Amino acid sequence: KLLEDQYAGAGNNLVILYGRKGMGKTTLLSEFLNGKPSVYYYEGTECVDKLQLLRMNQQATDKVEYNETLDFSLLFTELISKQREKTIIVLDEFHFIIKNSPDFVEVFRLLGNQDFPVMFLLSSSSIRWVENEMISDLGTMSSYITAYVKLKEFTFIDFVNRFPKSSVETC
């Protein structure tokens, strides 16, 4: 619901989704993205910034013309400006991108341009980094964050509440 509200809301969004591996972040993202008209999905890897940019550029070839001279900001400006509706840009494991490509954060300046409707959805399995280092790594761009979603394990009470017709033993 929070992701849908962010997407439907006026203005641009920067949403942080995080939780440990195996919590269902990818499943949640898949469900949310299903049927949305304009999506770019990229999974960050631990590599130098030039290789990260090359991989992003190659993956975007179905949306923009391949151009090996693009930098991060130009690539994302191209991705967003070609769309009529709000573009969703998902960067999974984005901590790898930010840690190894400090210039990447300049991409978030696009959030200040209301001519390009965009929702950045940043996902990470590095809870420690998100909670302790992300804000300083993003610097002034952290002011664009509009929502946080931390996925946690279900407790026993969560199961009982979600399955009220089931017995406690079954839960």
Side-chain angles (χ1 to χ4, degrees):
K1 182 170 180 356
L2 183 137
L3 294 177
E4 290 293 349
D5 289 347
Q6 288 286 309
Y7 179 70
N12 295 332
N13 313 89
L14 176 56
V15 178
I16 310 297
L17 171 67
Y18 68 109
R20 69 173 183 79
K21 287 185 186 288
M23 292 304 303
K25 293 181 300 298
T26 303
T27 302
L28 176 62
L29 289 171
S30 296
E31 287 294 317
F32 170 68
L33 297 173
N34 190 24
K36 302 286 189 300
S38 180
V39 174
Y40 172 75
Y41 183 97
Y42 177 78
E43 185 172 341
T45 58
E46 198 163 8
C47 63
V48 296
D49 60 344
K50 290 188 186 310
L51 182 56
Q52 197 87 257
L53 177 59
L54 177 66
R55 291 184 72 230
M56 284 180 178
N57 204 336
Q58 288 172 334
Q59 192 165 322
T61 55
D62 65 328
K63 300 194 182 307
V64 297
E65 188 174 321
Y66 179 78
N67 180 348
E68 61 186 52
T69 64
L70 287 179
D71 63 19
F72 289 113
S73 291
L74 289 173
L75 173 63
F76 284 92
T77 300
E78 284 284 311
L79 279 169
I80 296 166
S81 65
K82 299 210 182 283
Q83 305 303 320
R84 289 196 169 96
E85 57 276 317
K86 186 179 265 189
T87 302
I88 301 172
I89 296 177
V90 178
L91 301 175
D92 200 0
E93 300 299 353
F94 78 101
H95 58 278
F96 290 132
I97 302 168
I98 302 294
K99 286 179 180 180
N100 296 313
S101 306
D103 294 338
F104 181 81
V105 297
E106 293 302 312
V107 165
F108 300 124
R109 290 202 187 281
L110 293 169
L111 291 162
N113 186 342
Q114 297 304 311
D115 293 335
F116 300 138
V118 64
M119 176 181 185
F120 279 97
L121 185 46
L122 309 180
S123 175
S124 178
S125 61
S126 180
I127 296 170
R128 185 194 56 76
W129 180 79
V130 169
E131 293 180 346
N132 298 313
E133 301 169 33
M134 181 188 72
I135 297 296
S136 65
D137 286 354
L138 290 176
T140 59
M141 297 302 149
S142 64
S143 65
Y144 288 112
I145 297 171
T146 56
Y148 289 90
V149 179
K150 182 177 182 180
L151 291 185
K152 300 177 186 175
E153 292 178 340
F154 285 127
T155 65
F156 176 71
I157 299 299
D158 292 328
F159 276 104
V160 171
N161 289 336
R162 295 219 189 325
F163 303 101
K165 294 180 181 177
S166 298
S167 70
V168 172
E169 185 177 283
T170 302
C171 287

